């Protein structure tokens, strides 16, 4: 039996990129904020740096007197990707186990947990990077989920929109779908069709 791991952002939900709106609201040039954020992305996703500490850093670095809000949450307005969620429902109806494996942090995770229509109840488990203190593309991220779920890599399928995460999973022998491009939904249907017969 196969285990299916799905990324969350840009796979199960859309409209997840907040940095351009953050930059505009804070009066910081977008490229500068993105470059700065990428330095801290891994500690944020791994749950070792709380968002409040990053806000303090932004205030110091860019001379902002007081952000005064949970700005990562303020601009996070995800929408459900219905085609992929339908595939998940179909897989589970066939008896397959489906889990989320996502790089995320508390402000965004909190919003996903409260989404209407609900997303997380469509899955058997939610592995959030800030909770397990591991993030993609580290092999330990996939190793942790495989161990928790009790599956060998050869019996795991992984879907993600980022090539670096796909490459990391494939290096372990995990079957992968790179969910990207204009025809991504057609590719997804073709990829999962053999499990849905």
């Amino acid at each position: 039996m196969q285990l299916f791991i799905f990324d969350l952002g840009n796979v199960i939900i859309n409209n997840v990129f907040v940095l351009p709106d953050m930059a505009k609201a804070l009066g910081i040039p977008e490229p500068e904020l993105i470059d700065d954020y990428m330095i801290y992305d891994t500690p944020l996703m791994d749950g070792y740096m709380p968002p409040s500490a990053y806000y303090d850093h932004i205030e110091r670095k860019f001379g902002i007197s007081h952000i005064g809000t949970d700005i990562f949450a303020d601009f996070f307005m995800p929408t459900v990707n219905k085609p992929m969620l339908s595939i998940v429902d179909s897989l589970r109806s066939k008896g397959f186990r489906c889990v989320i494996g996502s790089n995320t942090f508390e402000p965004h995770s909190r919003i996903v947990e409260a989404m209407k229509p609900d997303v997380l109840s469509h899955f058997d488990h939610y592995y959030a990077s800030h909770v397990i203190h591991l993030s993609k593309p580290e092999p330990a991220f996939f190793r942790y989920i495989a161990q928790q779920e009790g599956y060998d890599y050869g019996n795991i399928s992984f879907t993600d929109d980022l090539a670096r995460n796909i490459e990391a999973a494939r290096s372990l022998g995990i079957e992968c779908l790179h969910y990207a491009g204009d025809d991504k939904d057609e590719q997804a249907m073709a990829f999962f069709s053999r499990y849905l017969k």
Side-chain angles (χ1 to χ4, degrees), residues 10-30:
N10 295 321
V11 176
I12 300 302
I13 58 174
N14 294 320
N15 196 36
V16 297
F17 197 47
V18 300
L19 292 179
D21 288 331
M22 282 177 56
K24 185 175 180 181
L26 295 171
I28 300 170
E30 183 180 325

Side-chain angles (χ1 to χ4, degrees), residues 8-15 81 83-84 87 159-161 177-192:
L8 187 58
N10 295 321
V11 176
I12 300 302
I13 58 174
N14 294 320
N15 196 36
N81 183 3
M84 284 303 299
I87 287 174
T159 301
D160 200 290
D161 63 308
L177 169 65
H178 185 197
Y179 186 67
D182 293 338
D183 61 343
K184 60 186 179 183
D185 289 323
E186 291 79 5
Q187 288 186 47
M189 283 305 302
F191 179 86
F192 291 108

Side-chain angles (χ1 to χ4, degrees), residues 12-168:
I12 300 302
I13 58 174
N14 294 320
N15 196 36
V16 297
F17 197 47
V18 300
L19 292 179
D21 288 331
M22 282 177 56
K24 185 175 180 181
L26 295 171
I28 300 170
E30 183 180 325
E32 289 185 29
L33 181 63
I34 291 174
D35 286 348
D36 180 75
Y37 170 83
M38 293 311 297
I39 297 169
Y40 299 95
D41 179 66
T42 297
L44 283 163
M45 294 298 108
D46 283 353
Y48 293 117
M49 181 181 201
S52 59
Y54 184 64
Y55 301 157
D56 290 343
H57 160 75
I58 290 175
E59 290 175 358
R60 291 191 302 271
K61 175 161 185 173
F62 295 102
I64 298 169
S65 59
H66 183 58
I67 292 176
T69 182
D70 190 353
I71 200 164
F72 278 132
D74 291 347
F75 297 105
F76 188 60
M77 300 176 187
T79 57
V80 176
N81 183 3
K82 292 180 180 179
M84 284 303 299
L85 207 56
S86 177
I87 287 174
V88 171
D89 290 342
S90 296
L91 289 167
R92 291 188 73 201
S93 74
K94 296 286 187 180
F96 292 107
R97 188 165 172 84
C98 297
V99 302
I100 291 173
S102 178
N103 285 2
T104 188
F105 48 18
E106 191 280 330
H108 289 183
S109 193
R110 172 173 22 99
I111 290 170
V112 170
E113 290 167 8
M115 279 182 73
K116 303 295 181 190
D118 175 59
V119 170
L120 298 185
S121 68
H122 293 259
F123 293 86
D124 294 294
H125 198 77
Y126 173 31
Y127 292 97
S129 62
H130 73 289
V131 174
I132 66 173
H133 300 297
L134 296 165
S135 60
K136 299 170 285 186
E138 289 300 317
F141 177 89
F142 303 101
R143 188 176 302 117
Y144 177 87
I145 295 176
Q147 290 173 345
Q148 291 295 308
E149 293 291 327
Y151 283 79
D152 295 329
Y153 296 138
N155 294 110
I156 298 176
S157 295
F158 172 62
T159 301
D160 200 290
D161 63 308
L162 296 179
R164 64 178 179 270
N165 297 336
I166 292 294
E167 290 166 7

